[in-house]
Amino acid sequence: MAQTEFTQFDDRELAHLCAAIDYLFGKGGVLARNVVSKGLGEPSFPYDANNPYIRVSGVRKPGK
């Protein structure tokens, strides 16, 4: 199954997905600004397979 997934992997689709995320949530995001930022490719926290959720800081309420 993994071999099939990697042989059918499309780099352009991944690039479009990343561009869309940056457009919506990046520095000048249309939907929400500064939710995500470019990184160095290394996670800033250890990955736990038993708890795959990523904790993010709270979102400020408008006007505060």
Side-chain angles (χ1 to χ4, degrees), residues 15-56:
H16 286 192
L17 176 64
C18 292
I21 291 170
D22 187 49
Y23 174 75
L24 293 172
F25 304 110
K27 186 175 183 180
V30 175
L31 189 59
R33 290 191 172 115
N34 294 324
V35 174
V36 296
S37 62
K38 295 179 182 177
L40 302 173
E42 293 292 327
S44 58
F45 50 86
Y47 175 74
D48 180 7
N50 294 323
N51 184 13
Y53 294 101
I54 299 172
R55 293 186 181 266
V56 295

Side-chain angles (χ1 to χ4, degrees), residues 6 8-18:
F6 286 118
Q8 295 178 1
F9 184 78
D10 188 356
D11 294 336
R12 290 177 295 172
E13 288 183 20
L14 179 60
H16 286 192
L17 176 64
C18 292

